[in-house]
Amino acid sequence: MNSILRFIGASLILATLVWTLTANLAIAPVQAAIRQLEEAPGQLVWQSRQTLKDEHGGSWQAIAFKRVRPDGSAHIYLRLVGFPGTADLDHSQPLTLTNSLGKTLTAADISSDMFTDKTQIKTDMGQYDLQPILMQLEPAMPLQLTLPTLDQEKISLNVSPTVVEEWRSLTDQK
């Protein structure tokens, strides 16, 4: 009898703890993980870093960032980096972003703008111009990013609505 009472008491305590934790998580605000860096005097960068998985379970680093130059001009980019040997990205093709309703947007690959020596362009990394399309992304909808590859097998990455919202919040950074 004593062990049954202890079991019931422990179960009640555990249930209360679980209820309290899940209730607090449900009302906790989403905190953006935007980091600010100073690249050079007067040149600031705000960035959101996420790890995204592709359909094969491979991890990709997704870095959305806003660069503000000393003259006040600003631009927003998305850099996607796979582990070495993950893929041979086709830098002549854009990144395709498709929301859950099927709306499709594209972002130009600007990887070649990063290097003066074009032989240094990484095949497992792409940098894309988000500026023209960022505010067209619906913050409440998940996205699928499709990266073109040289071997014609496209790579798909799923992006949660929380990440989309974080990327959009880069526009607010001054």
Side-chain angles (χ1 to χ4, degrees), residues 8 11 22 26 40 52 75 91 94 105 109 120-121 128 137 170:
I8 292 172
S11 297
T22 56
L52 304 175
H75 210 84
H91 294 292
L105 300 167
D109 187 317
Q120 293 180 328
I121 297 174
Y128 305 92
L137 301 177
L170 288 168

PDB file of all heavy atoms in Angstrom, residues 8 11 22 26 40 52 75 91 94 105 109 120-121 128 137 170:
ATOM      1  N   ILE A   8       1.791   7.023  -6.765  1.00  0.00           N
ATOM      2  CA  ILE A   8       0.773   8.028  -7.098  1.00  0.00           C
ATOM      3  C   ILE A   8       1.318   9.429  -6.818  1.00  0.00           C
ATOM      4  O   ILE A   8       1.159  10.345  -7.629  1.00  0.00           O
ATOM      5  CB  ILE A   8      -0.543   7.765  -6.335  1.00  0.00           C
ATOM      6  CG1 ILE A   8      -1.202   6.477  -6.852  1.00  0.00           C
ATOM      7  CG2 ILE A   8      -1.516   8.950  -6.473  1.00  0.00           C
ATOM      8  CD1 ILE A   8      -2.391   6.017  -6.036  1.00  0.00           C
ATOM      9  N   SER A  11       3.864  10.306  -9.441  1.00  0.00           N
ATOM     10  CA  SER A  11       3.175  10.560 -10.710  1.00  0.00           C
ATOM     11  C   SER A  11       2.536  11.934 -10.724  1.00  0.00           C
ATOM     12  O   SER A  11       2.586  12.643 -11.732  1.00  0.00           O
ATOM     13  CB  SER A  11       2.105   9.490 -10.965  1.00  0.00           C
ATOM     14  OG  SER A  11       2.706   8.227 -11.096  1.00  0.00           O
ATOM     15  N   THR A  22       5.428  22.755 -19.957  1.00  0.00           N
ATOM     16  CA  THR A  22       4.807  22.941 -21.268  1.00  0.00           C
ATOM     17  C   THR A  22       3.968  24.207 -21.300  1.00  0.00           C
ATOM     18  O   THR A  22       3.903  24.876 -22.324  1.00  0.00           O
ATOM     19  CB  THR A  22       3.946  21.722 -21.672  1.00  0.00           C
ATOM     20  OG1 THR A  22       2.974  21.476 -20.652  1.00  0.00           O
ATOM     21  CG2 THR A  22       4.803  20.503 -21.900  1.00  0.00           C
ATOM     22  N   ALA A  26       4.661  27.268 -23.947  1.00  0.00           N
ATOM     23  CA  ALA A  26       3.615  27.704 -24.871  1.00  0.00           C
ATOM     24  C   ALA A  26       3.457  29.211 -24.882  1.00  0.00           C
ATOM     25  O   ALA A  26       3.100  29.795 -25.890  1.00  0.00           O
ATOM     26  CB  ALA A  26       2.289  27.040 -24.505  1.00  0.00           C
ATOM     27  N   ALA A  40      34.430  45.819 -40.079  1.00  0.00           N
ATOM     28  CA  ALA A  40      35.443  46.846 -40.295  1.00  0.00           C
ATOM     29  C   ALA A  40      34.897  48.115 -39.639  1.00  0.00           C
ATOM     30  O   ALA A  40      33.707  48.177 -39.324  1.00  0.00           O
ATOM     31  CB  ALA A  40      35.660  47.060 -41.789  1.00  0.00           C
ATOM     32  N   LEU A  52      20.215  23.537 -40.985  1.00  0.00           N
ATOM     33  CA  LEU A  52      19.096  22.935 -41.706  1.00  0.00           C
ATOM     34  C   LEU A  52      19.521  21.558 -42.199  1.00  0.00           C
ATOM     35  O   LEU A  52      20.687  21.347 -42.518  1.00  0.00           O
ATOM     36  CB  LEU A  52      18.694  23.801 -42.900  1.00  0.00           C
ATOM     37  CG  LEU A  52      18.334  25.265 -42.609  1.00  0.00           C
ATOM     38  CD1 LEU A  52      18.070  26.006 -43.912  1.00  0.00           C
ATOM     39  CD2 LEU A  52      17.147  25.352 -41.674  1.00  0.00           C
ATOM     40  N   HIS A  75      22.350  45.575 -47.380  1.00  0.00           N
ATOM     41  CA  HIS A  75      21.844  44.507 -48.228  1.00  0.00           C
ATOM     42  C   HIS A  75      21.742  43.232 -47.400  1.00  0.00           C
ATOM     43  O   HIS A  75      22.516  43.037 -46.466  1.00  0.00           O
ATOM     44  CB  HIS A  75      22.760  44.291 -49.432  1.00  0.00           C
ATOM     45  CG  HIS A  75      22.018  43.802 -50.631  1.00  0.00           C
ATOM     46  ND1 HIS A  75      21.371  44.649 -51.490  1.00  0.00           N
ATOM     47  CD2 HIS A  75      21.803  42.551 -51.092  1.00  0.00           C
ATOM     48  CE1 HIS A  75      20.794  43.949 -52.448  1.00  0.00           C
ATOM     49  NE2 HIS A  75      21.043  42.665 -52.223  1.00  0.00           N
ATOM     50  N   HIS A  91      26.424  27.244 -59.535  1.00  0.00           N
ATOM     51  CA  HIS A  91      26.363  28.681 -59.229  1.00  0.00           C
ATOM     52  C   HIS A  91      25.770  29.512 -60.368  1.00  0.00           C
ATOM     53  O   HIS A  91      25.562  30.703 -60.209  1.00  0.00           O
ATOM     54  CB  HIS A  91      27.744  29.198 -58.840  1.00  0.00           C
ATOM     55  CG  HIS A  91      28.232  28.603 -57.552  1.00  0.00           C
ATOM     56  ND1 HIS A  91      27.658  28.882 -56.338  1.00  0.00           N
ATOM     57  CD2 HIS A  91      29.227  27.721 -57.307  1.00  0.00           C
ATOM     58  CE1 HIS A  91      28.277  28.211 -55.389  1.00  0.00           C
ATOM     59  NE2 HIS A  91      29.235  27.487 -55.945  1.00  0.00           N
ATOM     60  N   PRO A  94      19.729  29.945 -59.835  1.00  0.00           N
ATOM     61  CA  PRO A  94      19.287  30.569 -58.587  1.00  0.00           C
ATOM     62  C   PRO A  94      18.822  29.539 -57.558  1.00  0.00           C
ATOM     63  O   PRO A  94      18.551  28.383 -57.892  1.00  0.00           O
ATOM     64  CB  PRO A  94      18.095  31.428 -59.031  1.00  0.00           C
ATOM     65  CG  PRO A  94      17.524  30.678 -60.183  1.00  0.00           C
ATOM     66  CD  PRO A  94      18.717  30.075 -60.889  1.00  0.00           C
ATOM     67  N   LEU A 105       9.594  31.593 -55.292  1.00  0.00           N
ATOM     68  CA  LEU A 105      10.439  32.760 -55.531  1.00  0.00           C
ATOM     69  C   LEU A 105      11.851  32.250 -55.802  1.00  0.00           C
ATOM     70  O   LEU A 105      12.191  31.120 -55.437  1.00  0.00           O
ATOM     71  CB  LEU A 105      10.449  33.677 -54.307  1.00  0.00           C
ATOM     72  CG  LEU A 105       9.101  34.248 -53.870  1.00  0.00           C
ATOM     73  CD1 LEU A 105       9.209  34.864 -52.481  1.00  0.00           C
ATOM     74  CD2 LEU A 105       8.618  35.277 -54.867  1.00  0.00           C
ATOM     75  N   ASP A 109      22.183  33.563 -57.286  1.00  0.00           N
ATOM     76  CA  ASP A 109      23.433  33.104 -56.688  1.00  0.00           C
ATOM     77  C   ASP A 109      24.491  34.168 -56.969  1.00  0.00           C
ATOM     78  O   ASP A 109      24.762  34.485 -58.121  1.00  0.00           O
ATOM     79  CB  ASP A 109      23.851  31.767 -57.286  1.00  0.00           C
ATOM     80  CG  ASP A 109      25.060  31.154 -56.587  1.00  0.00           C
ATOM     81  OD1 ASP A 109      26.025  31.893 -56.289  1.00  0.00           O
ATOM     82  OD2 ASP A 109      25.056  29.943 -56.362  1.00  0.00           O
ATOM     83  N   GLN A 120      38.466  30.159 -56.576  1.00  0.00           N
ATOM     84  CA  GLN A 120      38.265  29.986 -55.141  1.00  0.00           C
ATOM     85  C   GLN A 120      36.809  29.731 -54.764  1.00  0.00           C
ATOM     86  O   GLN A 120      36.514  29.458 -53.604  1.00  0.00           O
ATOM     87  CB  GLN A 120      38.744  31.233 -54.384  1.00  0.00           C
ATOM     88  CG  GLN A 120      40.223  31.452 -54.447  1.00  0.00           C
ATOM     89  CD  GLN A 120      40.625  32.704 -53.687  1.00  0.00           C
ATOM     90  OE1 GLN A 120      39.887  33.676 -53.618  1.00  0.00           O
ATOM     91  NE2 GLN A 120      41.798  32.664 -53.095  1.00  0.00           N
ATOM     92  N   ILE A 121      35.888  29.813 -55.716  1.00  0.00           N
ATOM     93  CA  ILE A 121      34.475  29.606 -55.413  1.00  0.00           C
ATOM     94  C   ILE A 121      34.279  28.182 -54.913  1.00  0.00           C
ATOM     95  O   ILE A 121      34.708  27.225 -55.539  1.00  0.00           O
ATOM     96  CB  ILE A 121      33.587  29.870 -56.654  1.00  0.00           C
ATOM     97  CG1 ILE A 121      33.708  31.325 -57.087  1.00  0.00           C
ATOM     98  CG2 ILE A 121      32.127  29.537 -56.356  1.00  0.00           C
ATOM     99  CD1 ILE A 121      33.000  31.653 -58.378  1.00  0.00           C
ATOM    100  N   TYR A 128      23.331  33.855 -51.703  1.00  0.00           N
ATOM    101  CA  TYR A 128      22.174  34.262 -52.492  1.00  0.00           C
ATOM    102  C   TYR A 128      21.669  35.627 -52.044  1.00  0.00           C
ATOM    103  O   TYR A 128      21.744  35.977 -50.864  1.00  0.00           O
ATOM    104  CB  TYR A 128      21.068  33.205 -52.361  1.00  0.00           C
ATOM    105  CG  TYR A 128      21.572  31.837 -52.746  1.00  0.00           C
ATOM    106  CD1 TYR A 128      22.099  30.969 -51.793  1.00  0.00           C
ATOM    107  CD2 TYR A 128      21.583  31.436 -54.076  1.00  0.00           C
ATOM    108  CE1 TYR A 128      22.601  29.730 -52.150  1.00  0.00           C
ATOM    109  CE2 TYR A 128      22.086  30.203 -54.445  1.00  0.00           C
ATOM    110  CZ  TYR A 128      22.603  29.346 -53.476  1.00  0.00           C
ATOM    111  OH  TYR A 128      23.107  28.131 -53.837  1.00  0.00           O
ATOM    112  N   LEU A 137       8.340  36.737 -48.391  1.00  0.00           N
ATOM    113  CA  LEU A 137       8.248  35.462 -47.677  1.00  0.00           C
ATOM    114  C   LEU A 137       7.231  35.604 -46.556  1.00  0.00           C
ATOM    115  O   LEU A 137       7.306  36.541 -45.758  1.00  0.00           O
ATOM    116  CB  LEU A 137       9.609  35.069 -47.100  1.00  0.00           C
ATOM    117  CG  LEU A 137      10.753  34.896 -48.096  1.00  0.00           C
ATOM    118  CD1 LEU A 137      12.037  34.575 -47.362  1.00  0.00           C
ATOM    119  CD2 LEU A 137      10.423  33.827 -49.121  1.00  0.00           C
ATOM    120  N   LEU A 170      15.725  40.761 -39.880  1.00  0.00           N
ATOM    121  CA  LEU A 170      16.979  41.420 -40.237  1.00  0.00           C
ATOM    122  C   LEU A 170      16.714  42.819 -40.841  1.00  0.00           C
ATOM    123  O   LEU A 170      17.557  43.706 -40.725  1.00  0.00           O
ATOM    124  CB  LEU A 170      17.785  40.592 -41.224  1.00  0.00           C
ATOM    125  CG  LEU A 170      18.432  39.324 -40.652  1.00  0.00           C
ATOM    126  CD1 LEU A 170      18.962  38.444 -41.786  1.00  0.00           C
ATOM    127  CD2 LEU A 170      19.528  39.672 -39.674  1.00  0.00           C
TER     128      LEU A 170
END
